[in-house]
Structures are given as structure tokens and as C-alpha cells.
Amino acid sequence: MYTQAIDTDPQFVATQGAMRSVGATHASHDRLLASFDQRIANDEKIEAQDWMPAAYRKTLLRQISQHAHSEVVGMLPEGNWITRAPSLRRKAILLAKVQDEGGHGLYLYSAAETLGSSRAEMLDALLEGRAKYSSIFNYPTLTWADVGCIGWLVDGAAIMNQVPLCRCSYGPYARAMIRICKEESFHQRQGFELMLALCQGSEGQKQMAQEAFNRWWWPVLMMFGPPDADSVHSTQTMQWGIKRISNDDLRQQFLDATVPQAQLLGLSIPDSDLRYDDSSGHWQCGPIQWEEFWRVVQGDGPCNRERLNTRRIAHEEGAWVREAAQAYALKQAGQQAQALG
Ligand SMILES: [Fe+2]
Ligand SMILES: [Fe+2]
């Protein structure tokens, strides 16, 4: 954990020590804020040791830890299918993918720790239901085709969302996203390839692919978050250079990229209002049922309780691993101190 990063800007520390009056402290805070704003305007990266406004730190911590939780909870729906993958090749691909998601959680918890919260605190918030994760992972994986839909659509939507985050103003988050996006690209392609195999298969396989597609299509469109007009944090996070593209614009990019892919697969899109708008050159979908989105976000989706319960059990069963790692680290530190001393 890097709690020393809080307000350690030399200019800030010196000013705090030298200036006793409240007015002077306010003035120094204003100067630091002006310099932060200028750096954001110049598109410079903010690093862990730099001064940053408390609200920027809090927003990033919330976003990065939610993102980390989503990666880890996101291992569960697909993890269900590792033992039932239809071939050795498919099992190897799925194992690698689920393992990648665990790695993404690790990079992101590490990036969030640079903002002053420990991984244990963040995990407690998740397991006690105080922290959110992406609501898409509260939907079930009923058939093997759901695994294909997650890769193709969920990871596809994640890429749309995450590529702009590689340019996020906070350095540790932006750098974590570069590596994550490379791996997400493999996830999306393996999902599409799985769906292609099913769509070129038997009637039963085609039907399985269509039914899974029907289940995932609308929840995936909701993944980009509520419409811009209703998005509480969007304006500020865009001003801070954390978010670069709005929810509605990302959703549009996804729609334009994915409709032709569904057509290539021979799947019919479960939206009677879907149409191509010649004047704008974009696909337009029908109205999204936002009541369903809010219901799932608030804890009442098909698998919310099951997902959290599985994570709680995994956390308890993993206690011995954490204890062993800690004991090993203490032993190493002791040996190092002995060697030096
Ligand atoms: Fe991921
Ligand atoms: Fe992924």
C-alpha cells in the first residue's frame, strides 16, 4: 500500500509547515489546485505521489476498485464451464481467459492501492455488499453458447469502454489498462470464433447460439451505463480526463461494430426497432429497459446473491493462502535483516 502518496507534494508539505494562518493554507490549496487543473488541461499524467484533489482521488478509487471487483466476479460465470468445455482446445482457451481475468483484478487492485486503500479494505467492501461490480456478471451462463456470448459481446463491450481508459489522466490506471486491453482483444476473438463454430454447426447448435444471444444482447447494451443525461458522475470524470468518451457514444460505437458481426454469424437481433439510419450512418436500437438495469445494479438480478456468496466462500477458503504468503514475506524480511545486520 502506498499511503505515503497522500499530500506529499513537497510544495504542499513546505507550505503547510511554513504558513500558519487558515487564509494562507487556503491560498496554497488554491495554487495546488490550479497547478493540477493545468496539468489535466495539458494532458499530463497524474502519478501516485503527486498532489490531487480529494474528490479526484475518491472518484478514481471508486472506479478502479469497482473495475477490479468486476474482473474477479467476472471469472465466475465462465468458470462454471471449465469442467464442461466440449474439447481440450476449448478448455485450454477458457482456462487461459479466466486466468487472465484474475490477473486483470490483480493489476487493478494494485493500481487502486496507490491511491491509499489496501486490497483487504477493498475486498471487505465487496464482500459486505458496499462496493459495486459490473451488473452484467449477475446474469447466468445456462449453455456453452453463453461462454461464446460473454467473450464476443461482454469482452467486446469491455474493449470499447477500456481502450479510451489507456489515455486516462491517472498514470497507474492508464498503464494497467494498456496490458488489459491486449488480453481483452484475445478474449473477444475467442468468443466470436466459438460463436462462429456454433452458428456453422448443427440446427441444435445454431439454436443454442441464438438463444444465448437473445439473453445477452440487451444486458450488454446496458453495460455502457445509463444514458448521458442520467449519468451522475460522467461530466466530472470527463473534465478530469478519467473518462474520455460518453456512455451513449460508446454504446453507439459498440452497436455499429457488432450489428454487422451478428449478421455475419446469421443471428437475428432481438430488437424489432433496430434500423440503419442512412443520414447519420449509424445503427439505431429500440428503447432500452433501464428498469431492469437499475434492478440488477441494486442487487436483484438473477445471480447477485449467488455471485457474492461464491466470492465469500472463496475468500474464506483462501485464508490459508494469504496467511502462508504473509508468513513467507515475514521470514524473507527477517532473513534480509539478519544478512544486513
Ligand atoms: Fe478482463
Ligand atoms: Fe476479458
Side-chain angles (χ1 to χ4, degrees):
M1 186 163 90
Y2 298 86
T3 44
Q4 76 274 15
I6 299 172
D7 288 342
T8 51
D9 183 287
Q11 187 193 354
F12 183 75
V13 173
T15 319
Q16 293 282 297
M19 298 186 177
R20 297 270 178 251
S21 79
V22 174
T25 309
H26 280 168
S28 71
H29 180 271
D30 289 350
R31 269 201 302 280
L32 287 166
L33 188 58
S35 138
F36 171 86
D37 287 343
Q38 189 57 53
R39 292 182 65 192
I40 295 284
N42 295 347
D43 222 4
E44 287 175 43
K45 288 273 179 277
I46 306 298
E47 296 298 337
Q49 70 276 15
D50 295 339
W51 184 90
M52 61 187 84
Y56 176 82
R57 182 185 298 278
K58 195 175 159 194
T59 300
L60 271 171
L61 191 54
R62 190 193 62 240
Q63 179 170 335
I64 304 175
S65 60
Q66 280 184 11
H67 193 164
H69 299 326
S70 304
E71 300 285 352
V72 172
V73 176
M75 296 166 79
L76 301 175
E78 289 177 291
N80 278 342
W81 280 91
I82 290 173
T83 54
R84 291 174 286 166
S87 69
L88 184 59
R89 176 174 171 266
R90 293 288 176 199
K91 190 193 285 272
I93 292 171
L94 186 57
L95 266 173
K97 188 213 187 255
V98 172
Q99 195 171 319
D100 279 355
E101 306 298 6
H104 297 174
L106 186 66
Y107 311 153
L108 289 165
Y109 282 126
S110 301
E113 278 185 313
T114 65
L115 292 160
S117 179
S118 71
R119 198 184 317 177
E121 284 167 344
M122 290 183 264
L123 283 174
D124 281 349
L126 171 69
L127 299 177
E128 289 165 14
R130 288 182 281 116
K132 298 253 180 289
Y133 55 86
S134 178
S135 60
I136 196 75
F137 300 117
N138 291 315
Y139 288 86
T141 40
L142 304 179
T143 66
W144 175 246
D146 290 275
V147 173
C149 281
I150 291 185
W152 170 39
L153 300 171
V154 175
D155 290 271
I159 294 172
M160 290 284 173
N161 219 342
Q162 293 174 3
V163 166
L165 286 173
C166 298
R167 294 188 292 117
C168 161
S169 59
Y170 188 55
Y173 193 25
R175 289 189 290 274
M177 291 319 304
I178 292 171
R179 183 158 171 185
I180 288 175
C181 283
K182 286 181 185 162
E183 292 174 349
E184 295 301 357
S185 164
F186 147 66
H187 298 174
Q188 195 268 351
R189 280 178 293 160
Q190 65 82 35
F192 185 79
E193 198 249 329
L194 193 165
M195 291 300 283
L196 190 61
L198 290 178
C199 291
Q200 290 174 342
S202 67
E203 275 312 308
Q205 286 172 318
K206 281 183 211 167
Q207 197 186 337
M208 191 204 286
Q210 181 67 54
E211 284 171 5
F213 182 61
N214 293 347
R215 281 195 293 278
W216 288 94
W217 179 250
W218 289 104
V220 164
L221 291 183
M222 295 173 198
M223 267 181 78
F224 297 94
D228 294 346
D230 304 331
S231 182
V232 190
H233 303 294
S234 278
T235 315
Q236 181 62 79
T237 52
M238 286 187 76
Q239 276 169 3
W240 276 331
I242 298 173
K243 194 176 171 68
R244 298 283 180 172
I245 305 177
S246 81
N247 294 356
D248 286 336
D249 287 348
L250 286 169
R251 195 168 6 253
Q252 186 63 59
Q253 280 183 13
F254 177 80
L255 206 55
D256 290 339
T258 313
V259 170
Q261 293 170 0
Q263 290 172 333
L264 188 87
L265 290 171
L267 293 168
S268 70
I269 297 172
D271 178 359
S272 53
D273 294 323
L274 184 81
R275 65 181 188 90
Y276 186 75
D277 181 45
D278 278 321
S279 60
S280 66
H282 291 298
W283 285 94
Q284 288 183 346
C285 64
I288 295 175
Q289 301 302 310
W290 290 107
E291 310 84 63
E292 175 184 328
F293 172 78
W294 290 115
R295 204 177 61 240
V296 181
V297 166
Q298 278 150 17
D300 200 17
C303 301
N304 294 55
R305 284 166 205 81
E306 182 189 328
R307 299 286 183 245
L308 264 192
N309 234 1
T310 309
R311 277 309 314 155
R312 283 191 194 109
I313 293 167
H315 193 69
E316 281 164 24
E317 289 180 350
W320 70 271
V321 179
R322 294 191 294 280
E323 284 162 20
Q326 209 139 29
Y328 182 73
L330 277 174
K331 194 171 136 190
Q332 291 287 98
Q335 281 172 356
Q336 260 174 14
Q338 227 170 21
L340 289 171

